[in-house]
Amino acid sequence: MILPIYLYGQPVLKKVAEDITPEYPELNTLVENMFETMHQAEGIGLAAPQIGLAIRLVVIDLDVLSEDFPEFKDFRRVYINAHIVETSEEKEAMEEGCLSLPGIHEKVTRPSRIRVQYLDENFVEHDEWVEGYLARVMQHEFDHLEGKVFSDRLSPLRRQMNKTRLSNLAKGNVQCTYKVKRVLR
Ligand code: NI
């Protein structure tokens, strides 16, 4: 089932999301729906707050990048209760976009490597260092779990440059190819 994606300005995108337990109702269906919603919107990552749920659940599918990055062939993952526990001093800038902020693409500076703790879809614990493109996508998605979107990470100047776009988004003034949840005016 395709779910509406919550746009910038929706209060749920500013909430710190909560951990869940294996008893969370209909978790498998929710994960399936999140993958379907993300694929339909042509995204590579989707966090539960973007579909209106303040829980620590993220799906990532990097298979679409596998022509350039063979290591991402069939790379489809579920991250439950994810937390970034350490980051490298080294940082890099990379362009980002977000299904909750359609039409905005900006370079964001983030740590190059991160140590993450999470549970997979079988509730098996993982604790690993991640780098490269995956580290980037994870940081973007896990930010959603902290109530942050990538425009919060822009310099004051770049934020100023996007001010009109952001305020239009927050008013629900946007054309979108996928189903969205707008702020009611
Ligand atoms: Ni996003």
Side-chain angles (χ1 to χ4, degrees):
M1 188 172 65
I2 291 166
L3 308 165
I5 293 175
Y6 284 55
L7 292 182
Y8 178 83
Q10 290 279 355
V12 67
L13 293 176
K14 292 206 157 190
K15 279 191 188 159
V16 177
E18 307 254 336
D19 282 348
I20 58 170
T21 66
E23 286 74 44
Y24 191 85
E26 314 230 28
L27 185 58
N28 290 339
T29 309
L30 176 59
V31 166
E32 256 174 54
N33 291 344
M34 284 178 67
F35 273 114
E36 197 184 338
T37 300
M38 175 179 74
H39 289 143
Q40 198 268 343
E42 295 182 3
I44 53 173
L46 186 69
Q50 294 182 275
I51 50 138
L53 295 173
I55 58 170
R56 299 189 86 86
L57 172 63
V58 164
V59 297
I60 292 177
D61 185 346
L62 300 182
D63 182 67
V64 69
L65 305 169
S66 61
E67 258 188 36
D68 295 325
F69 303 91
E71 68 270 30
F72 294 143
K73 183 85 196 122
D74 297 322
F75 188 101
R76 289 185 193 89
R77 301 284 158 85
V78 178
Y79 300 94
I80 297 167
N81 300 348
H83 294 268
I84 295 171
V85 293
E86 253 182 285
T87 57
S88 65
E89 299 263 318
E90 192 196 340
K91 294 184 182 192
E92 59 191 287
M94 217 183 269
E95 188 167 284
E96 296 186 21
C98 180
L99 294 176
S100 295
L101 288 85
I104 300 179
H105 297 271
E106 285 287 343
K107 275 196 169 173
V108 183
T109 302
R110 297 184 189 271
S112 308
R113 295 185 307 122
I114 52 170
R115 184 180 155 210
V116 288
Q117 291 176 343
Y118 63 91
L119 307 168
D120 61 28
E121 66 274 35
N122 300 312
F123 277 80
V124 175
E125 281 181 37
H126 295 259
D127 184 334
E128 56 200 33
W129 278 94
V130 182
E131 60 183 10
Y133 200 78
L134 177 59
R136 170 61 52 152
V137 177
M138 279 181 161
Q139 288 178 86
H140 175 111
E141 297 310 328
F142 298 170
D143 256 3
H144 281 297
L145 308 180
E146 306 302 337
K148 287 202 172 78
V149 291
F150 81 91
S151 59
D152 300 332
R153 302 248 180 224
L154 299 179
S155 67
L157 175 66
R158 294 311 303 170
R159 206 170 314 138
Q160 184 63 29
M161 303 285 284
N162 283 290
K163 201 177 162 192
T164 308
R165 267 198 201 105
L166 286 169
S167 81
N168 276 331
L169 267 179
K171 290 180 204 145
N173 262 339
V174 66
Q175 292 288 335
C176 224
T177 55
Y178 44 89
K179 193 158 89 171
V180 294
K181 180 105 176 162
R182 294 164 199 272
V183 177
L184 292 175
R185 270 165 287 172

